[in-house]
Coordinates of all heavy atoms in Angstrom, one line a residue:
H409 N -9.2 -5.6 -3.1 CA -10.4 -4.9 -2.7 C -10.7 -4.9 -1.2 O -11.0 -3.9 -0.6 CB -11.6 -5.4 -3.5 CG -12.8 -4.7 -3.3 ND1 -13.9 -5.1 -2.5 CD2 -13.2 -3.4 -3.8 CE1 -14.8 -4.2 -2.6 NE2 -14.5 -3.2 -3.3
V410 N -10.4 -6.1 -0.6 CA -10.6 -6.2 0.8 C -9.6 -5.3 1.6 O -10.0 -4.6 2.5 CB -10.4 -7.7 1.3 CG1 -10.3 -7.8 2.8 CG2 -11.6 -8.5 0.8
L411 N -8.4 -5.3 1.2 CA -7.4 -4.5 1.8 C -7.7 -3.0 1.6 O -7.5 -2.2 2.5 CB -6.0 -4.8 1.2 CG -4.8 -4.1 1.8 CD1 -4.7 -4.3 3.3 CD2 -3.5 -4.6 1.1
A412 N -8.2 -2.6 0.4 CA -8.5 -1.2 0.2 C -9.6 -0.8 1.1 O -9.6 0.3 1.6 CB -9.0 -1.0 -1.3
N413 N -10.6 -1.6 1.3 CA -11.7 -1.3 2.3 C -11.2 -1.2 3.7 O -11.6 -0.4 4.5 CB -12.8 -2.2 2.1 CG -13.7 -1.9 1.0 OD1 -14.2 -0.7 0.9 ND2 -14.0 -2.8 0.1
D414 N -10.2 -2.1 4.1 CA -9.7 -2.0 5.4 C -8.9 -0.7 5.6 O -9.0 0.0 6.6 CB -8.7 -3.2 5.6 CG -9.4 -4.5 5.8 OD1 -10.7 -4.5 6.0 OD2 -8.7 -5.5 5.7
A415 N -8.1 -0.3 4.6 CA -7.4 1.0 4.7 C -8.3 2.2 4.7 O -8.1 3.1 5.5 CB -6.5 1.1 3.5
R416 N -9.4 2.1 4.0 CA -10.4 3.2 4.0 C -11.0 3.3 5.3 O -11.2 4.4 5.9 CB -11.5 2.8 2.9 CG -12.7 3.7 2.9 CD -13.6 3.2 1.8 NE -14.9 3.8 1.9 CZ -15.9 3.2 2.5 NH1 -15.8 2.0 3.1 NH2 -17.1 3.8 2.6
Q417 N -11.4 2.2 5.9 CA -12.0 2.2 7.3 C -11.0 2.8 8.3 O -11.4 3.5 9.2 CB -12.5 0.8 7.7 CG -13.7 0.3 7.0 CD -14.9 1.2 7.2 OE1 -15.1 1.7 8.3 NE2 -15.7 1.4 6.2
A418 N -9.8 2.4 8.2 CA -8.8 3.0 9.1 C -8.7 4.5 9.1 O -8.6 5.2 10.1 CB -7.4 2.3 8.9
V419 N -8.7 5.0 7.9 CA -8.6 6.5 7.7 C -9.9 7.1 8.2 O -9.9 8.1 8.9 CB -8.3 6.9 6.3 CG1 -8.4 8.4 6.1 CG2 -6.9 6.4 5.8
L420 N -11.1 6.6 7.9 CA -12.3 7.1 8.4 C -12.4 7.1 9.9 O -13.0 8.0 10.5 CB -13.5 6.3 7.8 CG -13.8 6.5 6.3 CD1 -14.8 5.5 5.8 CD2 -14.3 7.9 6.0
A421 N -11.8 6.1 10.5 CA -11.8 6.0 12.0 C -10.9 7.1 12.7 O -11.0 7.2 13.9 CB -11.3 4.6 12.4
M422 N -10.1 7.8 11.9 CA -9.3 8.8 12.5 C -10.1 10.0 12.9 O -9.6 10.8 13.7 CB -8.2 9.3 11.4 CG -7.2 8.3 11.1 SD -6.1 8.7 9.7 CE -5.4 10.3 10.3
A423 N -11.3 10.2 12.4 CA -12.1 11.4 12.8 C -12.4 11.4 14.3 O -12.6 10.4 14.9 CB -13.4 11.3 12.0
N424 N -12.3 12.7 14.8 CA -12.5 12.9 16.2 C -11.5 12.3 17.1 O -11.8 12.0 18.3 CB -13.9 12.5 16.6 CG -15.0 13.2 15.8 OD1 -15.0 14.4 15.7 ND2 -15.9 12.5 15.3
N425 N -10.3 12.1 16.6 CA -9.2 11.6 17.4 C -8.0 12.6 17.4 O -7.8 13.3 16.3 CB -8.7 10.3 16.9 CG -9.7 9.2 17.2 OD1 -9.9 8.9 18.4 ND2 -10.4 8.6 16.2
K426 N -7.3 12.6 18.5 CA -6.1 13.5 18.6 C -4.9 12.7 18.4 O -4.7 11.6 18.9 CB -6.1 14.2 20.0 CG -5.3 15.4 20.1 CD -5.5 16.1 21.4 CE -4.8 17.5 21.3 NZ -5.1 18.3 22.5
Y427 N -3.9 13.2 17.6 CA -2.6 12.6 17.3 C -1.6 13.6 17.7 O -1.4 14.6 17.0 CB -2.5 12.2 15.9 CG -3.6 11.2 15.5 CD1 -4.8 11.6 15.0 CD2 -3.4 9.8 15.7 CE1 -5.8 10.7 14.7 CE2 -4.4 8.9 15.4 CZ -5.6 9.3 14.9 OH -6.5 8.4 14.6
G428 N -0.9 13.4 18.8 CA 0.0 14.4 19.3 C -0.8 15.6 19.7 O -1.7 15.5 20.5
T429 N -0.4 16.8 19.2 CA -1.1 18.0 19.4 C -2.1 18.3 18.4 O -2.8 19.4 18.4 CB -0.1 19.2 19.6 OG1 0.6 19.3 18.3 CG2 0.8 19.0 20.7
N430 N -2.3 17.5 17.4 CA -3.2 17.7 16.3 C -4.5 16.9 16.4 O -4.5 15.8 16.8 CB -2.5 17.3 15.0 CG -1.2 18.1 14.8 OD1 -1.2 19.3 15.0 ND2 -0.2 17.3 14.5
L431 N -5.6 17.5 16.0 CA -6.9 16.9 16.1 C -7.5 16.7 14.7 O -7.6 17.6 13.9 CB -7.9 17.7 16.9 CG -9.3 17.3 17.0 CD1 -9.5 16.0 17.7 CD2 -10.2 18.4 17.6
V432 N -7.8 15.4 14.3 CA -8.5 15.2 13.1 C -10.0 15.3 13.4 O -10.6 14.6 14.2 CB -8.3 13.7 12.6 CG1 -9.1 13.4 11.3 CG2 -6.8 13.5 12.3
T433 N -10.6 16.4 12.8 CA -12.0 16.7 13.1 C -13.0 16.0 12.2 O -14.1 15.7 12.6 CB -12.2 18.2 13.0 OG1 -11.9 18.7 11.7 CG2 -11.4 18.9 14.1
E434 N -12.5 15.7 11.0 CA -13.5 15.1 10.0 C -12.7 14.4 8.9 O -11.6 14.8 8.6 CB -14.3 16.2 9.4 CG -15.4 15.7 8.5 CD -16.3 16.9 8.0 OE1 -16.1 18.0 8.5 OE2 -17.1 16.6 7.1
V435 N -13.3 13.3 8.3 CA -12.7 12.6 7.2 C -13.8 12.4 6.2 O -14.9 12.0 6.5 CB -12.1 11.3 7.6 CG1 -11.6 10.6 6.4 CG2 -11.0 11.4 8.6
E436 N -13.6 12.8 4.9 CA -14.6 12.6 3.9 C -14.0 11.8 2.8 O -12.9 12.0 2.3 CB -15.0 14.0 3.2 CG -15.7 14.9 4.1 CD -16.0 16.2 3.4 OE1 -15.5 16.5 2.3 OE2 -16.7 17.1 4.0
E437 N -14.7 10.8 2.3 CA -14.3 10.1 1.1 C -14.6 10.9 -0.1 O -15.7 11.3 -0.4 CB -15.0 8.7 1.1 CG -14.5 7.8 0.0 CD -15.1 6.4 0.2 OE1 -16.4 6.3 0.2 OE2 -14.4 5.5 0.2
Q438 N -13.6 11.1 -1.0 CA -13.7 11.8 -2.2 C -13.9 10.9 -3.4 O -14.6 11.3 -4.3 CB -12.5 12.7 -2.4 CG -12.3 13.7 -1.3 CD -13.3 14.8 -1.3 OE1 -13.5 15.5 -2.3 NE2 -14.0 15.0 -0.2
D439 N -13.3 9.7 -3.4 CA -13.3 8.8 -4.5 C -12.9 7.4 -4.1 O -11.9 7.3 -3.4 CB -12.4 9.3 -5.6 CG -12.5 8.5 -6.9 OD1 -13.5 7.9 -7.2 OD2 -11.5 8.4 -7.6
G440 N -13.6 6.4 -4.5 CA -13.2 5.1 -4.3 C -13.8 4.4 -3.1 O -14.7 4.9 -2.5
P441 N -13.3 3.2 -2.8 CA -12.2 2.6 -3.5 C -12.7 2.1 -4.9 O -13.8 1.6 -5.1 CB -11.8 1.4 -2.7 CG -12.9 1.2 -1.7 CD -13.7 2.4 -1.6
R442 N -11.8 2.3 -5.9 CA -12.1 1.9 -7.3 C -11.0 1.2 -7.9 O -9.8 1.4 -7.6 CB -12.5 3.1 -8.1 CG -11.5 4.1 -8.3 CD -12.0 5.3 -9.1 NE -11.0 6.4 -9.1 CZ -10.1 6.6 -10.1 NH1 -10.0 5.7 -11.1 NH2 -9.2 7.6 -10.0
W443 N -11.3 0.3 -8.8 CA -10.3 -0.5 -9.5 C -9.6 0.4 -10.5 O -10.3 1.2 -11.2 CB -11.1 -1.6 -10.3 CG -10.2 -2.4 -11.2 CD1 -10.2 -2.4 -12.5 CD2 -9.2 -3.3 -10.8 NE1 -9.3 -3.3 -13.1 CE2 -8.6 -3.9 -12.0 CE3 -8.7 -3.8 -9.6 CZ2 -7.6 -4.8 -12.0 CZ3 -7.6 -4.7 -9.6 CH2 -7.1 -5.2 -10.8
L444 N -8.3 0.4 -10.5 CA -7.5 1.2 -11.4 C -6.4 0.4 -11.9 O -5.4 0.1 -11.2 CB -7.0 2.4 -10.7 CG -6.2 3.4 -11.5 CD1 -7.2 4.0 -12.6 CD2 -5.7 4.5 -10.7
P445 N -6.5 -0.1 -13.1 CA -5.4 -1.0 -13.7 C -4.1 -0.3 -13.7 O -4.0 0.9 -13.9 CB -5.9 -1.2 -15.1 CG -7.4 -1.0 -15.1 CD -7.6 0.1 -14.1
D446 N -3.0 -1.0 -13.4 CA -1.7 -0.5 -13.5 C -1.2 -0.8 -14.9 O -0.9 -1.9 -15.2 CB -0.8 -1.2 -12.4 CG 0.5 -0.5 -12.2 OD1 1.1 -0.1 -13.3 OD2 1.0 -0.4 -11.1
Y447 N -1.0 0.2 -15.7 CA -0.6 0.0 -17.1 C 0.8 -0.4 -17.2 O 1.2 -0.9 -18.3 CB -0.9 1.3 -17.9 CG -2.4 1.6 -17.9 CD1 -3.0 2.6 -17.1 CD2 -3.3 0.7 -18.6 CE1 -4.3 2.8 -17.1 CE2 -4.6 0.9 -18.6 CZ -5.2 2.0 -17.8 OH -6.5 2.2 -17.8
L448 N 1.7 -0.2 -16.2 CA 3.1 -0.7 -16.3 C 3.2 -2.1 -16.0 O 4.0 -2.8 -16.5 CB 4.0 0.2 -15.4 CG 4.2 1.6 -15.8 CD1 5.0 2.4 -14.8 CD2 4.8 1.7 -17.2
Y449 N 2.3 -2.6 -15.1 CA 2.4 -4.0 -14.6 C 1.0 -4.5 -14.7 O 0.1 -4.4 -13.8 CB 2.8 -4.0 -13.1 CG 4.2 -3.4 -12.9 CD1 4.2 -2.1 -12.4 CD2 5.3 -4.0 -13.3 CE1 5.5 -1.4 -12.2 CE2 6.6 -3.4 -13.1 CZ 6.6 -2.1 -12.6 OH 7.8 -1.5 -12.4
S450 N 0.7 -5.2 -15.8 CA -0.7 -5.6 -16.2 C -1.2 -6.6 -15.2 O -2.4 -6.8 -15.0 CB -0.7 -6.1 -17.6 OG 0.1 -7.2 -17.7
A451 N -0.3 -7.4 -14.5 CA -0.8 -8.4 -13.5 C -1.1 -7.8 -12.2 O -1.5 -8.5 -11.3 CB 0.3 -9.5 -13.4
A452 N -0.8 -6.5 -12.0 CA -1.0 -5.9 -10.7 C -2.5 -5.7 -10.4 O -3.3 -5.4 -11.3 CB -0.3 -4.5 -10.6
N453 N -2.9 -6.0 -9.2 CA -4.3 -5.8 -8.7 C -4.3 -4.6 -7.8 O -3.9 -4.6 -6.7 CB -4.7 -7.0 -7.9 CG -4.7 -8.3 -8.8 OD1 -5.4 -8.4 -9.8 ND2 -3.7 -9.2 -8.5
R454 N -4.9 -3.5 -8.3 CA -4.8 -2.2 -7.6 C -6.1 -1.5 -7.5 O -6.9 -1.5 -8.4 CB -3.9 -1.2 -8.4 CG -3.8 0.2 -7.8 CD -2.7 1.0 -8.5 NE -3.1 1.3 -9.9 CZ -2.4 2.2 -10.6 NH1 -1.4 2.9 -10.1 NH2 -2.8 2.5 -11.9
Y455 N -6.3 -1.0 -6.3 CA -7.5 -0.1 -6.0 C -7.0 1.2 -5.4 O -6.0 1.2 -4.7 CB -8.4 -0.8 -4.9 CG -9.4 -1.8 -5.5 CD1 -9.0 -3.1 -5.7 CD2 -10.6 -1.4 -5.9 CE1 -9.8 -4.0 -6.3 CE2 -11.5 -2.3 -6.5 CZ -11.1 -3.6 -6.7 OH -11.9 -4.5 -7.2
V456 N -7.7 2.3 -5.7 CA -7.3 3.6 -5.3 C -8.5 4.3 -4.6 O -9.6 4.2 -5.1 CB -6.8 4.5 -6.5 CG1 -6.5 5.9 -6.0 CG2 -5.6 3.9 -7.1
T457 N -8.2 4.9 -3.5 CA -9.2 5.7 -2.7 C -8.6 7.1 -2.4 O -7.4 7.2 -2.1 CB -9.5 5.0 -1.4 OG1 -10.0 3.7 -1.7 CG2 -10.6 5.7 -0.6
V458 N -9.4 8.1 -2.5 CA -9.0 9.4 -2.1 C -9.9 9.9 -1.0 O -11.1 9.9 -1.1 CB -9.0 10.4 -3.3 CG1 -8.6 11.8 -2.9 CG2 -8.2 9.9 -4.5
M459 N -9.2 10.4 0.1 CA -9.9 10.9 1.3 C -9.5 12.3 1.6 O -8.3 12.7 1.4 CB -9.5 10.0 2.5 CG -9.6 8.5 2.3 SD -11.2 7.9 2.1 CE -11.8 7.9 3.8
K460 N -10.4 13.1 2.0 CA -10.1 14.5 2.5 C -10.1 14.5 4.0 O -11.1 14.0 4.6 CB -11.0 15.5 2.0 CG -10.7 16.9 2.3 CD -11.6 17.9 1.6 CE -11.1 19.3 1.8 NZ -12.0 20.3 1.0

Side-chain angles (χ1 to χ4, degrees):
H409 188 253
V410 169
L411 184 57
N413 277 309
D414 288 347
R416 175 180 166 264
Q417 287 299 322
V419 175
L420 288 170
M422 292 172 59
N424 300 312
N425 286 293
K426 199 167 190 177
Y427 299 91
T429 59
N430 304 311
L431 174 66
V432 176
T433 58
E434 188 176 350
V435 178
E436 292 178 354
E437 187 172 51
Q438 300 289 304
D439 184 29
R442 65 183 170 91
W443 173 250
L444 185 63
D446 189 323
Y447 297 105
L448 293 177
Y449 305 101
S450 60
N453 299 293
R454 176 172 68 168
Y455 278 86
V456 175
T457 303
V458 178
M459 313 289 282
K460 185 172 187 178

